[in-house]
């Protein structure tokens, strides 16, 4: 397939890019700095501002799938506003381009107990909170897009570097547990799960999660 990948040079984005290449897909890698991407015959690197819906829509047209691994950077002092500006632009571009869209979000909006989301618990790390709140609000906005072919994936509580090993489980809106502890996953397996949804979609207008 022809896949557009927003944020292809980031931690999650680079794992998705590698997995997509390994599965034989052709990827338009949308990044801020094309020099961060190594040349590859299956990859076309494009520098586009993900917060510019018109420019982004022009690039997205003609792709079979669009994956957004957009993140303005956890160290950004205004990450909440920047994330939502980008998320809004990406959805607008996807609507204009009539795209199939998968958004990679965060674990903060998963329910740790019925009716209580992880980001609202007292022990949620302060340094991640604004980004987590932004991703939650992005999901809320996405759920209003009833005409867009979208899905949203939340990583589990612990997302680690590493190649895929397999053996992960899928879930919905609740935090997955491994025994009495929240589940984790390697970024390679997160990418594997994302590409599985790309190739065989099963979560139309739904959020899903995955973990060991």
């Amino acid at each position: 397939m022809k896949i557009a990948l927003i944020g292809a040079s980031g931690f999650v984005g680079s794992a998705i890019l590698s997995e997509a290449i390994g599965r034989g897909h052709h990827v338009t890698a949308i990044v801020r700095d094309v020099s961060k991407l190594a040349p590859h015959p299956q990859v076309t690197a494009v520098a586009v501002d993900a917060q510019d819906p018109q420019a982004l829509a022009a690039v997205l047209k003609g792709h079979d799938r669009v994956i957004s691994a957009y993140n303005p950077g956890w160290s950004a002092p205004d990450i909440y506003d920047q994330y939502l500006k980008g998320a809004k632009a990406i959805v607008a571009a996807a609507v204009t381009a009539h795209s199939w869209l998968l958004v990679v979000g965060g674990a903060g909006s998963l329910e740790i107990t019925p009716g209580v989301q992880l980001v609202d618990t007292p022990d949620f790390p302060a340094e991640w909170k604004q980004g987590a709140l932004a991703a939650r609000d992005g999901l809320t906005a996405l759920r209003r897009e009833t005409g867009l072919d979208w899905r949203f994936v939340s990583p589990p509580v612990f997302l680690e570097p590493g190649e895929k090993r397999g053996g992960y489980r899928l879930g919905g809106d609740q935090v997955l547990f491994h025994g009495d502890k929240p589940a984790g996953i390697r970024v390679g397996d997160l990418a594997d799960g994302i590409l599985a949804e790309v190739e065989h979609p099963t979560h139309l207008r739904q959020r899903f999660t995955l973990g060991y």
Side-chain angles (χ1 to χ4, degrees), residues 85-175:
K85 185 177 180 182
K88 182 178 179 180
I90 290 163
V91 170
V95 169
T96 299
H98 305 288
S99 299
W100 182 107
L101 176 67
L102 184 151
V103 175
V104 183
S109 58
L110 292 168
E111 290 187 346
I112 190 75
T113 58
V116 179
Q117 295 181 351
L118 189 64
V119 69
D120 293 326
T121 59
D123 295 331
F124 192 86
E127 62 269 27
W128 306 113
K129 188 153 190 173
Q130 291 306 307
L133 290 171
R136 176 173 71 181
D137 290 350
L139 173 58
T140 299
L142 191 59
R143 282 175 163 154
R144 293 195 288 264
E145 296 292 337
T146 57
L148 180 64
D149 189 345
W150 65 265
R151 64 274 303 134
F152 184 102
V153 58
S154 286
V157 172
F158 299 110
L159 177 59
E160 304 165 351
E163 299 296 320
K164 59 183 179 180
R165 73 174 205 200
Y168 57 83
R169 299 167 288 137
L170 295 178
D173 289 320
Q174 290 76 39
V175 171

Side-chain angles (χ1 to χ4, degrees), residues 1 23 32 49 51 68-69 76 79 82 89 92 104 114 130 132 138 140 142 144 159 176 184 196 204 210:
M1 284 186 286
R23 289 172 179 246
R32 283 173 286 209
D49 182 358
Q51 296 183 353
S68 173
I79 185 172
Q82 292 299 320
V104 183
Q130 291 306 307
T140 299
L142 191 59
R144 293 195 288 264
L159 177 59
L176 288 177
L204 174 62
L210 60 171

Side-chain angles (χ1 to χ4, degrees), residues 2-212:
K2 188 177 181 183
I3 298 171
L5 174 58
I6 302 165
S9 61
F11 175 56
V12 173
S14 58
I16 297 170
L17 179 61
S18 178
E19 183 67 19
I21 291 170
R23 289 172 179 246
H25 302 298
H26 293 266
V27 182
T28 299
I30 300 169
V31 292
R32 283 173 286 209
D33 183 0
V34 295
S35 69
K36 292 183 178 181
L37 295 173
H40 191 281
Q42 289 166 239
V43 177
T44 301
V46 180
V48 178
D49 182 358
Q51 296 183 353
D52 183 338
Q54 290 79 23
L56 192 56
V59 175
L60 299 186
K61 286 179 180 176
H63 288 83
D64 301 301
R65 302 284 190 264
V66 176
I67 304 171
S68 173
Y70 170 78
N71 189 321
W74 287 105
S75 61
D78 55 348
I79 185 172
Y80 179 87
D81 293 334
Q82 292 299 320
Y83 180 95
L84 284 182
K85 185 177 180 182
K88 182 178 179 180
I90 290 163
V91 170
V95 169
T96 299
H98 305 288
S99 299
W100 182 107
L101 176 67
L102 184 151
V103 175
V104 183
S109 58
L110 292 168
E111 290 187 346
I112 190 75
T113 58
V116 179
Q117 295 181 351
L118 189 64
V119 69
D120 293 326
T121 59
D123 295 331
F124 192 86
E127 62 269 27
W128 306 113
K129 188 153 190 173
Q130 291 306 307
L133 290 171
R136 176 173 71 181
D137 290 350
L139 173 58
T140 299
L142 191 59
R143 282 175 163 154
R144 293 195 288 264
E145 296 292 337
T146 57
L148 180 64
D149 189 345
W150 65 265
R151 64 274 303 134
F152 184 102
V153 58
S154 286
V157 172
F158 299 110
L159 177 59
E160 304 165 351
E163 299 296 320
K164 59 183 179 180
R165 73 174 205 200
Y168 57 83
R169 299 167 288 137
L170 295 178
D173 289 320
Q174 290 76 39
V175 171
L176 288 177
F177 280 81
H178 182 76
D180 61 350
K181 295 181 179 179
I185 201 167
R186 293 179 181 176
V187 72
D189 277 321
L190 175 63
D192 182 82
I194 288 168
L195 266 294
E197 176 70 18
V198 163
E199 294 173 349
H200 304 286
T202 58
H203 294 92
L204 174 62
R205 300 188 192 103
Q206 297 175 54
R207 184 254 296 279
F208 66 100
T209 186
L210 60 171
Y212 303 130

